[in-house]
Amino acid sequence: MILTTERTNARTWPEEQLAELFSEGFPQFITADRLGKEYIGRVREWFADLDLMLVDEDGVPVAGGWGVPIRWDGQVESLPTGYSQTLVQAVEGRERGAEPDTLVICGAIVTPSLKGRGLAGRTLTTLREVGREAGLSRVLAPVRPTTKARYPLTPIDSFMRWRRPDGAALDPWIRTHERMGAQILAGAPASQTMTGTVAEWESWTGLVFPESGEYVIPDGLSLLRIDRDADEGVYQEPNVWMRHA
Ligand SMILES: CC(C)(COP(=O)(O)OP(=O)(O)OC[C@H]1O[C@@H](n2cnc3c(N)ncnc32)[C@H](O)[C@@H]1OP(=O)(O)O)[C@@H](O)C(=O)NCCC(=O)NCCS
């Protein structure tokens, strides 16, 4: 398959093409990360060179991936807490004029009909190359394990170590990164924090939450904690810090 790479902001993509590309994989509540929302505008504006689409022969975007540059000393102890903190560090680093040295891959998507054919790997490879050309010698990713939602009760530090009998990671998205030479560094149990009112959570999940307490929610990688007195639901999304070779 012949694919070309374009920056996501290079043109206005037809709405139906974007709807198809993003039609699977991200639950509605993913947008309830207040910290992420505060920074995403500046991320899109300033780091557009690290926000790419893979486009097929007909000009249709079939995969995408994006990242941000941060400064990192290579120590596990100084990793950001996860995805949201990475956006904060990238934006604030740029505002301070700090010289970044590390690409953090923040997201990737493959159109549903082409999943499982290695397009994600091609997307990550392209991003790594662009990052290297920009002087980002280290590559990190707060990986969102795609099958973690089937095990919402399991702590991320356990889940990320689960292996198949052949030794490969049980989770396919961790596996893709490992095939590309990445290694697990640490769990990121609170990579993102999503907050909303009880009514918002009910509309995002299609469930009702009659009492305060913890709930398993569709596509939730961990549990939702509902506080009816405060009219608030809080969900912390776990990720896995991986470092590419
Ligand atoms: C995660 C994602 C980007 C992986 O893309 P991909 O191109 O399917 O990745 P790969 O081809 O490397 O496949 C990865 C593994 O998942 C399996 N897989 C995942 N989804 C599959 C599907 N729908 N059909 C078949 N296989 C699938 C593949 O078989 C492969 O397993 P293997 O290690 O045994 O070969 C893609 O599934 C996706 O867009 N998901 C929704 C968004 C998301 O969760 N992104 C990651 C967090 S930002």
Side-chain angles (χ1 to χ4, degrees):
M1 192 172 190
I2 298 169
L3 298 173
T4 48
T5 306
E6 286 188 41
R7 284 189 188 182
T8 298
N9 75 348
R11 51 174 151 143
T12 307
W13 308 89
E15 208 44 58
E16 65 278 9
Q17 292 180 359
L18 292 181
E20 176 61 17
L21 177 59
F22 290 97
S23 61
E24 275 181 11
F26 293 115
Q28 251 185 300
F29 59 75
I30 207 90
T31 58
D33 169 4
R34 288 182 192 157
L35 189 58
K37 260 194 202 160
E38 192 184 326
Y39 283 81
I40 197 73
R42 280 172 285 174
V43 165
R44 293 229 173 88
E45 189 181 334
W46 290 343
F47 310 124
D49 54 324
L50 297 172
D51 185 352
L52 307 174
M53 292 281 203
L54 299 194
V55 181
D56 73 8
E57 297 94 328
D58 301 319
V60 178
V62 292
W66 64 281
V68 296
I70 64 165
R71 196 163 176 82
W72 176 54
D73 62 9
Q75 301 299 310
V76 173
E77 302 72 45
S78 42
L79 284 168
T81 50
Y83 167 94
S84 315
Q85 200 63 47
T86 297
L87 303 193
V88 173
Q89 285 190 17
V91 165
E92 294 187 349
R94 153 111 184 198
E95 286 172 345
R96 272 199 317 275
E99 191 65 39
D101 54 14
T102 302
L103 166 68
V104 185
I105 297 172
C106 292
I109 186 110
V110 171
T111 204
S113 61
L114 294 174
K115 276 183 191 167
R117 299 199 204 171
L119 278 197
R122 284 172 74 169
T123 309
L124 298 184
T125 302
T126 307
L127 257 180
R128 285 196 315 203
E129 283 166 10
V130 171
R132 200 172 35 234
E133 282 160 19
L136 306 170
S137 57
R138 301 189 176 108
V139 180
L140 289 169
V143 172
R144 177 170 200 265
T146 48
T147 53
K148 176 72 175 74
R150 296 184 204 160
Y151 305 93
L153 303 178
T154 307
I156 192 67
D157 283 309
S158 304
F159 179 84
M160 70 186 189
R161 306 270 170 220
W162 289 358
R163 300 271 143 193
R164 301 191 303 200
D166 67 358
L170 185 71
D171 182 78
W173 190 217
I174 294 180
R175 215 155 60 224
T176 297
H177 285 267
E178 286 189 340
R179 258 200 307 263
M180 298 179 65
Q183 286 187 331
I184 292 174
L185 292 183
S191 187
Q192 280 185 279
T193 300
M194 284 69 162
T195 14
T197 63
V198 174
E200 282 173 327
W201 278 105
E202 290 183 338
S203 96
W204 293 331
T205 60
L207 298 174
V208 288
F209 304 113
E211 289 180 26
S212 292
E214 290 187 318
Y215 291 88
V216 172
I217 53 171
D219 302 318
L221 277 50
S222 65
L223 301 177
L224 169 66
R225 185 180 293 273
I226 290 286
D227 180 343
R228 288 214 60 111
D229 295 330
D231 187 21
E232 189 177 62
V234 178
Y235 160 92
Q236 289 196 311
E237 171 130 316
N239 287 171
V240 179
W241 274 116
M242 297 188 73
R243 180 177 180 173
H244 283 244

